[in-house]
Amino acid sequence: MNATPATTGRDRKPVHLAVYDTLADWETGHATAHLARAGHEIRTVGPSTAPVTSIGGLRIQPDLALDDVRPEDSSLLILPGADLWDTGDDLAPFARTARAFLAAGVPVAAICGATAGLAREGLLDDRAHTSAVSFYLAATGYAGGERYVEADAVTDGGLVTAGPTEPVAFAREILRLLGVYEGEVLDAWYRLFHDSDASAYVVLERAGAA
């Protein structure tokens, strides 16, 4: 499917995709692919510029190091899940960067284990959010349990959250947030990629998004 985006995004700031060892390959592909088709430059951000390796064994050379990323130079920070979110503090600097982004009014999108990292950072205490399951986040000791929502993906206060089985819903919220698709076109996009609903393609074609 060759998507013609609703907006070109030629003058938009890059979207920054965090990459680190053990990152979950499947969680951000729908989002980054369709953002790129909409004209957003995708730049990968690692702990340093040294290569990292995903859960699937993909070797990724980051475009830049985390210390060189500034909110004012970005339109969005995407944090995928990774085993490292639950095995120590190696990825805590990414959660602190998410705090800086949100404080500057720049959105953040976190999925799977990254939601636990943000919970530990206190970023979910005052925002509606979701994750894999509520008790996964409760184990972090965070104070936001009452704000947990049983949903495929949630956006609140510039922060998108989703669980590991919802990469399409995660992408839907990101595409909505950045204005790539909206209304019935966004709904059709979700139905096509999440539900394999062939009738949705007609809506996308009519809107020039297919």
Side-chain angles (χ1 to χ4, degrees), residues 124-125 127-131 137 142 144-145 147-150 154 161:
L124 304 185
D125 292 350
R127 292 177 173 88
H129 59 275
T130 194
S131 185
L137 292 186
Y142 83 131
R147 305 300 302 276
Y148 189 90
V149 180
E150 296 287 353
V154 173
T161 52

Side-chain angles (χ1 to χ4, degrees), residues 11-200:
D11 298 325
R12 289 177 176 169
K13 297 174 183 178
V15 168
H16 289 94
L17 171 66
V19 295
Y20 20 70
D21 287 333
T22 74
L23 75 89
D25 310 58
W26 65 90
E27 293 178 345
T28 61
H30 284 88
T32 55
H34 287 273
L35 286 172
R37 283 179 166 175
H40 287 273
E41 178 187 5
I42 309 297
R43 304 206 72 198
T44 53
V45 182
S48 68
T49 55
V52 299
T53 304
S54 74
I55 289 176
L58 297 181
R59 189 172 183 270
I60 302 167
Q61 178 75 55
D63 293 316
L64 67 164
L66 185 62
D67 286 345
D68 296 326
V69 176
R70 301 183 303 172
E72 58 265 36
D73 297 329
S74 182
S75 60
L76 173 70
L77 174 65
I78 302 176
L79 300 174
D83 291 345
L84 287 180
W85 283 111
D86 296 320
T87 58
D89 296 328
D90 289 355
L91 300 185
F94 285 90
R96 290 193 292 270
T97 297
R99 175 179 290 282
F101 268 60
L102 292 169
V106 181
V108 173
I111 185 170
C112 189
T115 62
L118 298 193
R120 295 184 188 97
E121 184 64 21
L123 295 174
L124 304 185
D125 292 350
D126 301 313
R127 292 177 173 88
H129 59 275
T130 194
S131 185
V133 287
S134 60
F135 57 80
Y136 170 63
L137 292 186
T140 68
Y142 83 131
E146 293 185 355
R147 305 300 302 276
Y148 189 90
V149 180
E150 296 287 353
D152 54 12
V154 173
T155 301
D156 186 27
L159 177 62
V160 176
T161 52
T165 61
E166 297 292 349
V168 180
F170 184 61
R172 179 197 64 210
E173 295 303 297
I174 290 171
L175 296 175
R176 188 204 319 272
L177 191 65
L178 295 188
V180 175
Y181 302 124
E182 57 186 15
E184 70 169 3
V185 177
L186 181 65
D187 176 69
W189 181 91
Y190 180 75
R191 288 189 290 111
L192 180 63
F193 285 97
H194 187 267
D195 303 325
S196 300
D197 183 351
S199 68

